[in-house]
């Protein structure tokens, strides 16, 4: 198996495990805050973003009306462009190779449920919704990936903080806000 394939598999496995942190207070379903996880290995960068539906859509439940479903489509379309919500150093030469939007219902006392499937009907009584976005990048000069500007605050004004978890050679957790949106990547 090629080294790049092994790296991709390892990063994907690590990323898939990240939502398991739901019991961690930094990752809990909390209005006004979002989570960004950056995982870097060699030239590959994977970013996972999670925020509540209320912060991203203006409604905290599963979209049921035509207007709510249109807003969800609009947000997912905007988030498809990583430059919309995050600024990475141009010198790092990172280009997106894959993008996965998803949504998860969250039930009080039970945490996040499985990813929602298109076309499946979900009960919405008492449920909240988290939106999740996963991005894979290839970076030509990963040593230049030394910071990231979180622009979520510009588009989702109810967000007061973003908890950023960085895993790579070093690991750290930082909280940024509208007045200090830049994260230094060790």
């Amino acid at each position: 198996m090629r080294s790049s394939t092994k790296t991709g598999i390892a990063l994907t496995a690590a990323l898939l495990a990240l939502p398991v942190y739901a019991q961690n207070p930094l990752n809990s379903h909390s209005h006004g805050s979002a989570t960004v996880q950056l995982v870097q290995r060699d030239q590959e960068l994977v970013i996972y973003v999670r925020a509540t539906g209320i912060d991203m859509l203006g409604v905290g439940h599963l979209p049921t009306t035509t207007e709510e479903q249109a807003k969800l489509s609009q947000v997912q379309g905007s988030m498809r462009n990583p430059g919309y919500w995050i600024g990475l150093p141009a010198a790092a030469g990172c280009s997106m190779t894959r993008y996965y939007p998803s949504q998860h219902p969250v039930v009080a006392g039970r945490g996040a449920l499985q990813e929602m499937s298109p076309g499946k009907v979900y009960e919405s009584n008492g449920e909240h919704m988290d939106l999740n976005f996963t991005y894979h990048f290839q970076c030509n000069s990963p040593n230049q990936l030394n910071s990231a500007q979180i622009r979520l605050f510009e588009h989702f004004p109810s967000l007061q903080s973003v908890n950023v978890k960085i895993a790579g050679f070093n690991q750290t957790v930082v909280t940024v806000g509208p007045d200090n949106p830049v994260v230094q990547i060790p």
Side-chain angles (χ1 to χ4, degrees):
M1 189 178 295
R2 291 183 21 221
S3 175
S4 62
T5 303
K6 288 179 185 177
T7 300
I9 291 169
L11 277 171
T12 301
L15 186 63
L16 291 174
L18 292 175
V20 173
Y21 290 124
Q23 302 307 316
N24 182 327
L26 289 177
N27 265 348
S28 63
H29 177 88
S30 177
H31 298 182
S33 103
T35 300
V36 172
Q37 298 170 341
L38 299 142
V39 180
Q40 181 187 5
R41 180 164 174 122
D42 299 325
Q43 291 185 299
E44 189 170 8
L45 172 66
V46 180
I47 303 176
Y48 171 78
V49 180
R50 188 181 77 199
T52 66
I54 193 76
D55 290 316
M56 296 191 91
L57 303 175
V59 295
H61 57 266
L62 304 174
T64 55
T65 69
T66 303
E67 182 180 272
E68 291 168 353
Q69 291 169 351
K71 179 67 176 173
L72 174 61
S73 292
Q74 181 267 321
V75 166
Q76 287 178 332
S78 295
M79 291 294 289
R80 180 182 236 354
N81 173 9
Y84 175 77
W85 70 270
I86 191 168
L88 299 173
C94 298
S95 58
M96 186 174 68
T97 58
R98 286 178 279 174
Y99 163 75
Y100 304 100
S102 64
Q103 52 207 26
H104 291 82
V106 177
V107 179
R110 292 190 3 215
L113 301 179
Q114 76 283 354
E115 180 178 337
M116 295 175 63
S117 300
K120 184 174 178 185
V121 177
Y122 292 87
E123 293 290 325
S124 62
N125 59 353
E127 291 184 7
H128 296 275
M129 183 180 60
D130 283 348
L131 296 176
N132 306 285
F133 304 91
T134 305
Y135 306 82
H136 290 254
F137 295 86
Q138 274 300 116
C139 301
N140 294 330
S141 300
N143 59 331
Q144 298 296 313
L145 189 59
N146 54 15
S147 67
Q149 180 180 14
I150 307 299
R151 298 181 181 141
L152 290 168
F153 306 106
E154 297 170 19
H155 306 289
F156 307 105
S158 65
L159 285 176
Q160 298 303 306
S161 65
V162 174
N163 300 303
V164 182
K165 298 177 182 183
I166 302 166
F169 183 72
N170 294 305
Q171 295 184 12
T172 189
V173 177
V174 230
T175 301
V176 296
D179 296 334
N180 63 336
V182 177
V183 175
Q184 298 304 315
I185 300 173

